Amino acid sequence: MNTNNNNQDLPIKPQQAQIPQPDPYSHLPHPVQPGPSPNPHPQTRRPRGFAATAAAASAAASADNTPAVSSPNASGKGKREREKEKERTKLRERHRRAITSRMLAGLRQYGDFPLPARADMNDVLAALAREAGWTVEADGTTYRQSPPPSHTVSMLVGSFGVRPMESPLLKNCAVKECQPSVLRIDESLSPGSLDSMVISERENSRNEKYTSASPINSVIECLDADQLIQDVHSGIHQNDFTENSRVPVYVMLANGFINNCCQLIDPQGVRQELSHMKSLDVDGVVVECWWGVVEAWSPQKYVWSGYRELFNIIQEFKLKLQVLMAFHEYGGNDSGDVLISLPQWVLEIGKDNQDIFFTDREGRRNTECLSWGIDKERVLKGRTGIEVYFDFMRSFRTEFNDLFTEGLITAIEIGLGPSGELKYPSFSERLGWRYPGIGEFQCYDKYSQHNLRKAAKLRGHSFWARGPDNAGQYNSRPHETGFFCERGDYDSYFGRFFLHWYSQSLIDHADNVLSLANFAFEDTKIIVKVPAVYWWYRTASHAAELTAGYYNPTNQDGYSPVFEVLKKHSVIMKFVCSGLHVSGFENDEALVDPEGLSWQVLNSAWDRGLTVAGVNMLACYDREGYRRVVEMAKPRNDPDHHRFSFFVYQQPSALSQGTICFPELDYFIKCMHGKKSKAVAVAQKLSQWVVRQPIAKKLPLVIFSLHPYNLIPAWKKIVHVLKANKARSLMICQYLDQLFLRNITLLGGIAGDQVS
């Protein structure tokens, strides 16, 4: 027992005399001598925390004239309280660090701030100061290096209604009296008021002798033609992702071309679908090989005839091929009329032994895939779960050995759970789940419960061999449960034990299956799909991720151990990218954070040296959605230049059905490939033509470089205005900008021959 506790337990005597202390200022003269203090005792600080509890107990004991006696139980209780307070302090600190990391990620991705990997607030302040034009040295010394803007530029801004904007275009210019900035037009002016402001060459010819002293020309004269072209090209690259890096794009072939008897039912439709893909310049196709189709009726009786015909047609179009080993069920939610179940002989076994399927707390069975509890249990006609998976993969490798040798099949994706993703089937719509419910734990089959009892006994707490009884239902919210709420049982000793065991079962399943997959597919790339469970990410517990099998609360990284196993087997991690816009209501209702989750998952994978790929969610995107996906696949300011190795585009329906917006999809694929569209190429030719003109005509190019997307539409009108009016006025740029906005739906390339 420490000394402080002993002192606090002594009885307090309120009438005890105090020894008077000498006044250190008694030798100084005082105009007024203070009278005697009614309370000669010095003012003591009010005890706080555990000291307040001990003081209250001592005061109560003294009031009863009974000395307080320190007991071992009270001391032990205080120690437990201190330990809990330490844990809460750690949790709050980790939560603050998580918020800081998301803020830094946003500054890196959207603010173009070159922050280091281990940045702190000092780095953020230094970056903000440098962005504002200040110089920040290594020791923190901060000062301005350049004088404030000159009176000339201020007069120019006031006269023409423009505002300065810093640009790297002018950093290397030798300027004497002009501020190194680019002029941006004030968008508040209306196009109707600009028509009268266009000054023709004839009217300005009389004032040519004054143009040399104009502040506009003083800005233009410091610009070099090569710099202008380079700035325009860099602006287009920055917005269209047309740099040198190329991310191959694969398209998932829609289901329904092969029936449950493994027969190709529509060869002409397949050719039409592949023709659409070829016209979009995709790199390859992804085909799902269904366990419930190939081994449907009898164990180890594999029928590959339909897939052989399909692969031969794909080979005719000279497209690369990735194949998914689909050990899950398909249909029932968004699949239309297509329904692919597990093999019939497996379902027959399930009628007698329902524990081969995942089970929730109420005892409801989920037949989407087999429970991981039977991975090493011989309950499938004398075979274990992983043996069944291995036999299927080995049969495929033997059947299509010629396609592997020819290089047509470039990679194999291993389905490790529902929807082919590495997760528990915790969000089953068939069992009543609706977004954004937290889902339920899927560990109540007898084989999983047996493994849980073994783990609890090994830990020395056999009474922990149970699932949490306060984790809510499929559609519960975290704050409605005692397990996932703030400071809930998820962070208790039992909660940590259970969640660790639950996530370790997922990791062990991946480890076992991938070991055999590498043996079956030697010298072939293996892919594993990781889900994006982004709802309730901004809560402390991350409830939806916990039920899915990822032990990723605020105070722990749940993806690192998973990625360590993937790195062990040298597989490619394919992450589900969310490019959908999150509404304010959804943000407040479900506390979603898809960008924060993506940042954590991708950086954790890249830090461990994993090769990363991407796949979109099964939804139609607009151009902004596609741009968000491209930004995730090709981060702008990543100092390590990380990129996706490839991207898989999932389509809600076949391309030939006409439900896909082809211009948007074509734009997305070109951005992924780093190619320039025809409109952008014409824009560059136009910029080169303007640079070859006299000095007064170069100013519009400076404005255009700030609006690279406005160069795309209405080429005939732009060229006509530039050539006919021979613009020398700054205001014509606003006129053109309004023309761009009026005709933004037009595509480029209309007048490519006009420009050349």
Side-chain angles (χ1 to χ4, degrees):
M1 186 175 300
N2 54 36
T3 307
N4 296 333
N5 291 337
N6 291 335
N7 294 335
Q8 292 174 0
D9 293 336
L10 292 177
I12 300 175
K13 297 180 180 181
Q15 303 300 328
Q16 185 176 358
Q18 301 290 333
I19 300 175
Q21 300 294 332
D23 186 4
Y25 303 100
S26 59
H27 63 284
L28 299 176
H30 296 278
V32 178
Q33 296 295 332
S37 175
N39 186 14
H41 300 287
Q43 185 178 2
T44 59
R45 297 180 60 185
R46 181 170 61 88
R48 298 177 181 274
F50 304 111
T53 305
S58 300
S62 64
D64 297 335
N65 295 324
T66 304
V69 180
S70 176
S71 63
N73 294 335
S75 176
K77 183 178 180 181
K79 185 177 181 180
R80 288 194 296 271
E81 289 294 331
R82 286 192 294 272
E83 291 296 329
K84 289 183 179 180
E85 182 63 26
K86 289 181 180 179
E87 290 295 328
R88 288 192 288 266
T89 302
K90 290 180 181 178
L91 180 62
R92 288 192 294 268
E93 180 62 25
R94 288 165 181 166
H95 185 61
R96 285 193 293 267
R97 290 180 181 177
I99 294 175
T100 303
S101 65
R102 287 194 287 269
M103 291 172 60
L104 296 178
L107 290 174
R108 292 189 188 98
Q109 184 173 0
Y110 301 107
D112 296 340
F113 285 93
L115 298 176
R118 301 291 182 183
D120 56 12
M121 288 299 107
N122 291 336
D123 297 316
V124 175
L125 290 175
L128 291 172
R130 293 189 182 100
E131 185 73 12
W134 293 74
T135 300
V136 182
E137 296 183 352
D139 60 352
T141 304
T142 305
Y143 55 90
R144 271 196 182 277
Q145 191 172 13
S146 58
S150 64
H151 177 70
T152 304
V153 177
S154 301
M155 181 177 62
L156 174 64
V157 172
S159 301
F160 287 93
V162 298
R163 54 183 181 270
M165 176 179 178
E166 184 179 353
S167 172
L169 170 68
L170 300 171
K171 288 183 178 179
N172 298 325
C173 298
V175 187
K176 296 181 180 180
E177 298 181 357
C178 62
Q179 174 70 12
S181 61
V182 176
L183 302 178
R184 176 179 289 180
I185 297 300
D186 190 351
E187 297 174 358
S188 62
L189 297 178
S190 62
S193 63
L194 299 175
D195 296 336
S196 60
M197 296 182 183
V198 178
I199 304 174
S200 64
E201 178 74 15
R202 181 180 304 173
E203 294 175 348
N204 283 318
S205 61
R206 294 172 295 180
N207 299 325
E208 285 183 353
K209 59 181 180 179
Y210 301 106
T211 57
S212 59
S214 171
I216 299 178
N217 288 334
S218 64
V219 174
I220 299 174
E221 287 174 354
C222 68
L223 305 178
D224 184 74
D226 295 334
Q227 288 179 323
L228 288 170
I229 296 176
Q230 182 179 0
D231 186 71
V232 172
H233 289 189
S234 64
I236 294 175
H237 293 340
Q238 182 179 4
N239 290 275
D240 258 354
F241 297 90
T242 54
E243 62 264 19
N244 294 329
S245 61
R246 173 188 174 92
V247 176
V249 178
Y250 290 74
V251 175
M252 178 79 73
L253 189 66
N255 287 297
F257 291 112
I258 293 181
N259 60 16
N260 290 332
C261 297
C262 201
Q263 298 173 343
L264 185 64
I265 58 177
D266 189 8
Q268 188 60 33
V270 172
R271 287 186 169 86
Q272 185 178 2
E273 187 78 0
L274 296 177
S275 177
H276 284 297
M277 295 182 186
K278 194 71 175 179
S279 65
L280 290 171
D281 195 25
V282 302
D283 297 89
V285 185
V286 179
V287 175
E288 297 167 304
C289 280
W290 295 96
W291 179 37
V293 171
V294 177
E295 197 182 359
W297 308 106
S298 300
Q300 295 183 289
K301 300 294 184 181
Y302 306 102
V303 180
W304 299 103
S305 57
Y307 287 106
R308 170 63 73 175
E309 294 183 54
L310 177 61
F311 294 165
N312 289 337
I313 296 176
I314 294 175
Q315 194 173 22
E316 295 175 7
F317 285 83
K318 298 181 180 180
L319 293 171
K320 298 178 182 179
L321 177 61
Q322 292 182 3
V323 182
L324 167 61
M325 302 284 102
F327 298 108
H328 58 280
E329 182 183 78
Y330 178 82
N333 295 332
D334 300 324
S335 58
D337 298 331
V338 180
L339 177 62
I340 303 174
S341 65
L342 297 183
Q344 294 298 319
W345 61 273
V346 172
L347 298 179
E348 291 295 329
I349 296 175
K351 292 179 181 179
D352 299 328
N353 182 11
Q354 296 186 0
D355 286 290
I356 67 174
F357 302 119
F358 282 105
T359 308
D360 60 19
R361 185 173 181 82
E362 289 75 20
R364 291 172 292 188
R365 313 292 180 172
N366 192 321
T367 60
E368 288 186 67
C369 55
L370 296 179
S371 170
W372 301 335
I374 66 170
D375 278 354
K376 296 183 179 180
E377 300 289 339
R378 297 190 176 276
V379 295
L380 301 175
K381 301 290 186 180
R383 293 185 295 168
T384 65
I386 58 175
E387 287 176 350
V388 168
Y389 305 144
F390 173 70
D391 291 340
F392 182 84
M393 293 185 290
R394 183 175 56 182
S395 174
F396 178 86
R397 180 63 178 83
T398 303
E399 176 69 24
F400 299 103
N401 180 66
D402 56 325
L403 301 184
F404 282 96
T405 304
E406 296 173 4
L408 177 67
I409 300 177
T410 59
I412 298 293
E413 181 178 345
I414 308 299
L416 295 175
S419 303
E421 301 173 354
L422 180 57
K423 66 177 182 181
Y424 284 90
S426 304
F427 315 114
S428 174
E429 295 185 5
R430 185 180 305 171
L431 297 180
W433 175 84
R434 295 295 181 269
Y435 176 84
I438 60 176
E440 287 195 23
F441 292 112
Q442 304 290 319
C443 59
Y444 293 94
D445 60 89
K446 67 179 182 181
Y447 302 104
S448 298
Q449 286 293 302
H450 175 70
N451 295 335
L452 179 58
R453 285 193 294 270
K454 288 172 56 178
K457 185 177 180 180
L458 186 63
R459 180 68 181 271
H461 303 287
S462 299
F463 58 92
W464 281 355
R466 58 179 176 83
D469 54 4
N470 57 348
Q473 307 294 329
Y474 281 104
N475 296 313
S476 298
R477 304 306 194 249
H479 61 274
E480 299 172 350
T481 70
F483 191 80
F484 298 114
C485 65
E486 186 76 18
R487 300 181 182 180
D489 292 343
Y490 77 93
D491 203 29
S492 64
Y493 289 107
F494 162 71
R496 296 173 193 169
F497 160 76
F498 173 78
L499 293 173
H500 179 269
W501 169 83
Y502 190 72
S503 62
Q504 190 61 43
S505 299
L506 176 144
I507 295 172
D508 292 341
H509 172 71
D511 191 13
N512 294 331
V513 177
L514 292 176
S515 298
L516 297 178
N518 276 323
F519 184 73
F521 300 107
E522 290 183 309
D523 302 326
T524 303
K525 296 178 181 179
I526 303 296
I527 304 170
V528 170
K529 186 178 178 182
V530 174
V533 186
Y534 56 84
W535 54 101
W536 307 115
Y537 186 83
R538 292 195 291 117
T539 60
S541 61
H542 293 209
E545 290 176 274
L546 297 184
T547 59
Y550 289 89
Y551 188 17
N552 189 53
T554 304
N555 59 351
Q556 183 164 333
D557 183 5
Y559 293 92
S560 296
V562 178
F563 293 157
E564 291 293 344
V565 172
L566 300 187
K567 178 63 177 177
K568 169 186 172 183
H569 298 288
S570 302
V571 304
I572 299 173
M573 192 279 289
K574 185 168 76 172
F575 181 63
V576 179
C577 304
S578 172
L580 299 176
H581 174 69
V582 178
S583 63
F585 174 78
E586 183 181 6
N587 193 21
D588 297 335
E589 177 71 15
L591 296 176
V592 301
D593 191 4
E595 295 177 354
L597 174 66
S598 301
W599 185 89
Q600 178 189 358
V601 172
L602 296 179
N603 282 277
S604 180
W606 279 324
D607 288 345
R608 281 153 187 80
L610 278 175
T611 302
V612 177
V615 58
N616 65 297
M617 287 186 170
L618 197 61
C620 294
Y621 294 155
D622 56 6
R623 176 158 295 202
E624 282 303 315
Y626 283 126
R627 286 183 61 80
R628 283 190 286 269
V629 173
V630 175
E631 287 178 358
M632 194 181 305
K634 303 162 72 172
R636 295 180 185 272
N637 300 314
D638 192 338
D640 298 320
H641 305 289
H642 289 128
R643 297 289 185 271
F644 283 3
S645 60
F646 62 86
F647 187 87
V648 176
Y649 175 75
Q650 293 187 106
Q651 46 188 341
S653 59
L655 294 176
S656 57
Q657 293 183 4
T659 59
I660 306 298
C661 183
F662 279 94
E664 302 295 340
L665 183 57
D666 178 68
Y667 163 82
F668 169 72
I669 295 174
K670 281 184 167 58
C671 289
M672 281 292 193
H673 287 169
K675 290 184 177 180
K676 303 171 186 175
S677 63
K678 187 176 181 181
V680 173
V682 174
Q684 293 181 354
K685 294 178 67 176
L686 177 62
S687 66
Q688 295 171 6
W689 175 83
V690 175
V691 170
R692 293 195 300 266
Q693 306 309 308
I695 292 177
K697 296 181 182 179
K698 293 181 181 179
L699 187 57
L701 180 60
V702 180
I703 309 301
F704 296 158
S705 66
L706 300 177
H707 304 279
Y709 278 110
N710 293 341
L711 288 175
I712 295 178
W715 290 110
K716 286 187 177 180
K717 294 184 179 180
I718 297 172
V719 175
H720 173 74
V721 173
L722 285 175
K723 290 184 176 180
N725 293 284
K726 298 181 180 179
R728 300 173 61 94
S729 172
L730 184 67
M731 296 304 164
I732 193 173
C733 303
Q734 290 181 315
Y735 180 77
L736 295 177
D737 193 51
Q738 295 298 330
L739 285 179
F740 301 148
L741 296 177
R742 293 175 185 174
N743 302 277
I744 197 64
T745 56
L746 299 178
L747 297 177
I750 299 177
D753 54 342
Q754 298 281 347
V755 178
S756 59

